[in-house]
Amino acid sequence: NAGVTQTPKFRVLKTGQSMTLLCAQDMNHEYMYWYRQDPGMGLRLIHYSVGEGTTAKGEVPDGYNVSRLKKQNFLLGLESAAPSQTSVYFCASTGVPYNEQFFGPGTRLTVL
Amino acid sequence: AQKITQTQPGMFVQEKEAVTLDCTYDTSDPSYGLFWYKQPSSGEMIFLIYQGSYDQQNATEGRYSLNFQKARKSANLVISASQLGDSAMYFCAMRGAQLTFGSGTQLTVLP
């Protein structure tokens, strides 16, 4: 099992560009999450999904959109990137919402 | 709303000694869970230990134990016999429908 994978690992964007981050899990988990981690801070929840076809907003959803068309994939989109979105993005999944979350390796995004 | 507070931005400990990382929390939910994660410099998030609010005993996982004091709303992580590989950022987190993280404590183990 690969667990939780994220694509890409690194990306540099210019202000106003768009991109999509892909999270994939092979553990048949229902719940998936996108977090961002800024320097010196803990993770903050952007969006999450409790199952295929469903998404919900987390703590810091503005400027991001998500989709969960397939159970194993959770996409995070930035329509018009801003320097404030420079961060490390983590995806996580869990089979039961109150259990341990399994994290991907992270995507380091820089917006110039 | 729930909140996690880690008041120690950085800690130092001598190799082979024990260290306690503080975590306090606030929630109005009667049922909750508390997690500790380790984030080494490589960046991945590694699950360490979990404590449920109704668990009668403190959780332990190898060299990690969680000192859970429900009345004081604290869930401190104790690492016994520190090793150089324990140097990392440590995050306390609370689960409801979502997982809320504290700001972390950077632990450095000195040889």
Side-chain angles (χ1 to χ4, degrees):
Chain A
N1 284 353
V4 181
T5 58
Q6 293 182 229
T7 307
K9 290 185 170 53
F10 303 93
R11 186 71 186 269
V12 178
L13 292 178
K14 294 181 179 179
T15 297
Q17 287 185 318
S18 64
M19 77 162 294
T20 300
L21 306 183
L22 169 64
C23 175
Q25 52 91 8
D26 60 3
M27 297 173 282
N28 202 34
H29 284 168
E30 289 290 341
Y31 300 82
M32 297 187 74
Y33 307 82
W34 274 109
Y35 296 90
R36 63 176 288 173
Q37 184 180 27
D38 299 316
M41 296 182 66
L43 278 66
R44 292 183 293 168
L45 184 66
I46 304 171
H47 286 280
Y48 64 101
S49 168
V50 301
E52 182 178 321
T54 72
T55 63
K57 294 181 180 180
E59 180 186 354
V60 288
D62 294 342
Y64 305 95
N65 56 76
V66 288
S67 64
R68 183 97 181 270
L69 299 179
K70 292 184 178 181
K71 186 177 183 179
Q72 63 267 35
N73 295 337
F74 195 28
L75 303 176
L76 177 71
L78 288 74
E79 289 187 350
S80 180
S84 60
Q85 293 177 304
T86 293
S87 190
V88 179
Y89 292 84
F90 286 96
C91 176
S93 72
T94 185
V96 178
Y98 300 147
N99 279 9
E100 170 198 353
Q101 293 189 4
F102 294 84
F103 283 84
T107 295
R108 187 174 295 275
L109 176 66
T110 302
V111 183
L112 303 176
Chain B
Q2 53 191 39
K3 186 178 179 182
I4 292 283
T5 302
Q6 294 180 254
T7 58
Q8 305 156 312
M11 288 278 288
F12 293 89
V13 64
Q14 208 68 39
E15 191 178 10
K16 299 180 184 176
E17 291 187 350
V19 63
T20 298
L21 307 184
D22 294 342
C23 173
T24 58
Y25 61 91
D26 190 23
T27 181
S28 56
D29 292 332
S31 176
Y32 52 90
L34 296 150
F35 298 80
W36 278 92
Y37 281 86
K38 173 184 178 181
Q39 187 178 41
S41 58
S42 52
E44 72 267 34
M45 296 290 287
I46 302 169
F47 167 75
L48 295 178
I49 198 166
Y50 168 79
Q51 178 85 42
S53 59
Y54 293 117
D55 293 342
Q56 295 297 316
Q57 293 188 328
N58 287 344
T60 61
E61 290 285 348
R63 293 187 299 111
Y64 304 107
S65 61
L66 201 152
N67 184 2
F68 182 48
Q69 299 187 40
K70 195 170 183 177
R72 297 181 59 185
K73 294 190 175 181
S74 73
N76 298 339
L77 177 70
V78 181
I79 305 175
S80 62
S82 298
Q83 301 172 355
L84 295 178
D86 293 335
S87 293
M89 182 73 86
Y90 289 81
F91 291 100
C92 180
M94 168 182 285
R95 67 95 170 119
Q98 306 168 11
L99 200 60
T100 301
F101 284 81
S103 56
T105 295
Q106 179 70 47
L107 176 67
T108 303
V109 180
L110 304 172

